[in-house]
Amino acid sequence: MAPQRSRPALPSLGGRKPNFREKVVDVLRAALISGELRPGQVYSAPALAPRLGVSATPVREAMLELVKEGMVEIVPNKGFRVTEVSDKQLDEYTHVRSLIEIPVTVGLATTAEPADVEALRPEAMEIVTSATKGDLIAYVEADLRFHLGLLALAGNDHLVEVVRDLRQRSRLYGLTALVEAGRLEASAQEHLELLDALLARDPERTREVMTRHLGHVRGLWAAH
């Protein structure tokens, strides 16, 4: 069993990189989705900055961006409180996602170019690698890139943005429990299974894998 952590394990972002500010936003967003930053807790930019290996300014700017997304709220003179997401909201987000993602992905089994599907395999492998390491933030980031990249093959940019918004609003509080139980890697393997179903041009198998995969979101993954 993984050792108990007294506070979230955030990756160091020290140094200057392309789209640096956007990377800080992405990492903090993933930390919120995965539950590494806990609902109801207040976090300050100066306290988070050393754990990311950056100054407080980009962290503060990133948190203000996440305020606009409704993921955190400002607490005057203290920092930012992580907003709660109710069971009802999680149910609604997952239901809408299933209405969009399952049929669109099934359709790709007969319409997507095999080379385009195969191009997503590195992302799927990164998901598995992150799961094996127990790196929840990298897992969430790679999972988002994989599924949005897959949906993009349908050629509907608006659909991709709708799903992006729904995924960012969701929370995966049960990921830590899956890591501790040694079960996250098995779930991560479903991404490779999905690619294989698509490459086999098998709509029914694709539907089964995608339905099972989304079912985890409201099951263990969304558990408080």
Side-chain angles (χ1 to χ4, degrees):
M1 176 167 300
Q4 293 293 319
R5 292 173 294 174
S6 59
R7 63 182 188 178
L10 302 180
S12 174
L13 297 176
R16 293 199 170 274
K17 303 176 183 179
N19 302 316
F20 181 69
R21 179 177 174 278
E22 288 81 0
K23 182 60 179 175
V24 176
V25 174
D26 288 344
V27 167
L28 289 174
R29 185 187 292 113
L32 290 161
I33 292 172
S34 68
E36 293 280 6
L37 296 182
R38 302 300 300 174
Q41 295 294 312
V42 176
Y43 298 92
S44 69
L48 287 173
R51 292 156 60 189
L52 288 167
V54 300
S55 67
T57 298
V59 175
R60 186 175 296 107
E61 291 175 348
M63 291 298 257
L64 289 173
E65 186 66 28
L66 294 171
V67 168
K68 297 177 184 177
E69 296 180 14
M71 300 188 78
V72 297
E73 58 188 13
I74 297 173
V75 180
N77 302 317
K78 292 186 178 181
F80 302 87
R81 179 184 290 112
V82 179
T83 56
E84 304 271 359
V85 181
S86 70
D87 288 348
K88 182 175 185 295
Q89 288 173 306
L90 288 170
D91 281 335
E92 291 173 347
Y93 298 157
T94 305
H95 178 60
V96 176
R97 283 178 54 188
S98 69
L99 293 176
I100 298 173
E101 293 188 62
I102 294 175
V104 171
T105 304
V106 170
L108 292 173
T110 55
T111 63
E113 292 292 332
D116 293 335
V117 174
E118 185 61 37
L120 292 168
R121 194 170 295 274
E123 293 289 2
M125 290 302 302
E126 185 173 345
I127 295 170
V128 174
T129 300
S130 299
T132 302
K133 294 178 179 179
D135 187 340
L136 300 187
I137 292 177
Y139 182 96
V140 168
E141 289 188 301
D143 181 71
L144 182 65
R145 290 194 302 269
F146 174 87
H147 285 286
L148 295 185
L150 184 61
L151 292 172
L153 299 183
N156 188 327
D157 293 341
H158 183 65
L159 180 149
V160 173
E161 288 308 308
V162 169
V163 174
R164 183 196 302 274
D165 180 66
L166 289 168
R167 282 181 168 270
Q168 290 176 175
R169 291 175 182 273
S170 298
R171 297 292 183 273
L172 306 176
Y173 300 136
L175 283 176
T176 299
L178 285 182
V179 170
E180 293 176 349
R183 296 170 57 191
L184 185 58
E185 186 176 354
S187 179
Q189 290 286 345
E190 289 178 344
H191 297 84
L192 295 170
E193 188 179 350
L194 181 59
L195 290 182
D196 290 341
L198 290 167
L199 289 169
R201 297 289 190 177
D202 189 335
E204 288 310 309
R205 184 181 167 202
T206 299
R207 183 184 302 278
E208 186 278 323
V209 176
M210 195 63 196
T211 301
R212 170 163 35 99
H213 188 62
L214 273 180
H216 293 161
V217 174
R218 193 58 196 97
L220 287 173
W221 289 13
H224 291 277

